[in-house]
Amino acid sequence: AINAIQNNFTKYTQNEGIPELREAVAEKFRRDNNLDVHLDNILISSGGKQSIYNAILSICNPGDEVIVIAPYYVSYPEMVRLANAEPVIFQTNEEDDFHIDFAKFGQLFSNRTKAIIINSPSNPTGTVYEEDEMTKLAELALKHNVYVISDEIYEKIIFDAKKHYSIGSIKEVARQVITINGVSKAYAMTGWRIGFMAANEEIIKLSSKIQSQVTSNPSSISQVAALEAITGSQDQVDIMRQEYERRRDYTCERLLKINGITMSKPHGAFYAFPSVKRFFGRSYKGNEIRNSLDISKFLLDEARVAVVPGTAFGSNDHIRISFASSADDLDKGLTRITKALDSLN
Ligand SMILES: Cc1ncc(COP(=O)(O)O)c(C=O)c1O
């Protein structure tokens, strides 16, 4: 990035992203994800978020339905609504480790269904879909002729020897899959704002048109930084993955010791998603805790720890705790959370 600045690589680039980066991303998708893609199948955008929004705007007409699996990444339903389409929420449960019950899931499709959004590893649950789940999802997408937007931004943050499986690698359904990734999570480059989409040429053309009217190319400087991240040594990626796994183990062990907490162990991403419903109905300083918002406020006021209420992700029984922080901060935060929740018991 510093070289890019010093060489005055600071002007507009091609709207779709610089060819070198598009080619490097295509190569990454071929190598890591077994996708059959080339430069024309790649669009570089200002963050994975813009890639997802471009995808939704490209395929949805007003009144279309998009199936969103809860607990979901907060922005999916809102992006669908911004496209004047309708999110149809499918609830998964902690008891099933937030995996899909396909007998129920199959009933959700209507003649208005345009797409399914999936996110494995998941924010907020850490659930990783297995190959057989991807096969079933692909079968449904083919049967109902719908797109699959597969948000794979946490691909590299995966634990317990689980394997990341890209639905776009299933040949029969590949043209209906829009794969999203980016540099935010794998390289901790959240502020650089580089995301990318792999899709069939038509979707890329449509998304590119939308992007050209809204933002044009993502930052030229960030594109050069992303190219370096993707093509340079990948050693740090696995070092960080191992570090996140240690933090995951530590966070889960501490949380599960708290009386009243239950939790499905996250196999990827960097969030714990414990159920706090057993604390509903308790009170502190005359305030009743009725939901995930109240308990988040309680933890902010009494433990001075910021967690995200599960309602934001479509699950009121839970809170989301990030374990991306340093081991020291995690220790302090978890000690305070334990003390505060114990005071409610
Ligand atoms: C599931 C998921 N998708 C997409 C994004 C957005 O990524 P980016 O920072 O590249 O826009 C995030 C960021 O938190 C995320 O958790």
Side-chain angles (χ1 to χ4, degrees):
I2 288 168
N3 283 345
I5 295 169
Q6 285 171 345
N7 294 332
N8 282 331
F9 192 71
T10 52
K11 308 289 193 294
Y12 291 127
T13 72
Q14 292 88 339
N15 175 62
E16 298 81 6
I18 54 174
E20 300 89 322
L21 180 57
R22 292 173 80 197
E23 187 43 67
V25 169
E27 166 62 22
K28 174 252 171 299
F29 279 130
R30 289 193 295 265
R31 182 189 62 224
D32 295 354
N33 308 97
N34 207 15
L35 303 191
D36 181 16
V37 289
H38 303 276
L39 183 139
D40 289 344
N41 302 110
I42 306 296
L43 176 65
I44 314 293
S45 302
S46 300
K49 265 188 170 171
Q50 190 183 22
S51 305
I52 301 164
Y53 193 41
N54 280 338
I56 293 171
L57 286 174
S58 297
I59 59 178
C60 287
N61 290 314
D64 283 349
E65 294 177 349
V66 177
I67 298 178
V68 175
I69 301 164
Y72 44 71
Y73 175 52
V74 279
S75 301
Y76 300 151
E78 301 308 332
M79 287 181 178
V80 171
R81 287 189 190 104
L82 282 166
N84 283 325
E86 219 177 285
V88 174
I89 308 295
F90 180 75
Q91 200 70 44
T92 61
N93 305 307
E94 186 180 296
E95 296 70 41
D96 305 327
D97 287 329
F98 301 106
H99 284 281
I100 297 171
D101 176 342
F102 279 92
K104 288 189 189 141
F105 190 70
Q107 295 166 11
L108 229 62
F109 291 79
S110 78
N111 55 12
R112 290 201 289 147
T113 309
K114 188 51 85 63
I116 316 166
I117 305 182
I118 60 172
N119 175 217
S120 173
S122 153
N123 171 9
T125 63
T127 300
V128 174
Y129 292 158
E130 305 288 345
E131 186 174 346
D132 69 310
E133 289 175 288
M134 291 301 189
T135 309
K136 285 184 193 146
L137 281 165
E139 282 166 7
L140 282 169
L142 283 167
K143 180 175 166 197
H144 297 281
N145 194 23
V146 301
Y147 289 100
V148 180
I149 300 174
S150 179
D151 179 353
E152 306 184 7
I153 200 126
Y154 292 99
E155 168 193 16
K156 302 286 181 195
I157 304 171
I158 191 161
F159 317 129
D160 310 309
K162 291 261 178 209
K163 289 261 175 297
H164 174 74
Y165 192 79
S166 291
I167 190 166
S169 68
I170 302 173
K171 300 273 172 294
E172 295 77 7
V173 79
R175 280 194 67 79
Q176 286 163 236
V177 177
I178 304 173
T179 306
I180 308 290
N181 212 317
V183 297
S184 291
K185 313 296 172 177
Y187 304 102
M189 287 172 66
T190 50
W192 297 83
R193 312 307 303 131
I194 295 291
F196 23 87
M197 163 198 292
N200 73 47
E201 293 82 355
E202 269 168 71
I203 301 279
I204 295 295
K205 275 194 195 131
L206 288 168
S207 290
S208 177
K209 269 192 198 163
I210 293 166
Q211 177 162 304
S212 77
Q213 300 299 347
V214 181
T215 56
S216 303
N217 61 277
S219 151
S220 59
I221 301 159
S222 296
Q223 289 189 66
V224 175
L227 180 61
E228 181 58 31
I230 293 167
T231 56
S233 163
Q234 301 295 299
D235 294 352
Q236 283 302 318
V237 176
D238 197 56
I239 292 172
M240 274 318 291
R241 190 203 64 72
Q242 291 174 36
E243 177 59 28
Y244 286 131
E245 187 156 358
R246 275 193 289 278
R247 292 182 197 172
R248 188 278 315 257
D249 288 342
Y250 179 71
T251 306
C252 289
E253 195 191 313
R254 292 281 306 264
L255 286 172
L256 286 169
K257 276 191 189 145
I258 302 171
N259 196 4
I261 291 268
T262 61
M263 192 170 58
S264 158
K265 194 175 175 186
H267 294 294
F270 36 63
Y271 309 100
F273 201 57
S275 166
V276 286
K277 70 176 175 200
R278 279 165 196 79
F279 297 98
F280 297 170
R282 313 276 168 85
S283 296
Y284 74 105
K285 293 183 179 160
N287 304 306
E288 192 190 343
I289 295 172
R290 295 154 302 175
N291 50 40
S292 64
L293 207 62
D294 290 344
I295 201 146
S296 302
K297 187 170 181 313
F298 162 76
L299 289 171
L300 192 61
D301 290 347
E302 298 299 307
R304 302 255 161 240
V305 177
V307 301
V308 184
T311 41
F313 310 96
S315 178
N316 186 42
D317 292 344
H318 297 84
I319 55 173
R320 194 196 71 174
I321 297 172
S322 165
F323 52 81
S325 331
S326 70
D328 198 35
D329 283 349
L330 275 178
D331 175 39
K332 278 190 208 138
L334 287 162
T335 302
R336 291 196 218 150
I337 288 175
T338 305
K339 198 166 156 229
L341 291 179
D342 279 348
S343 78
L344 293 177
N345 275 322

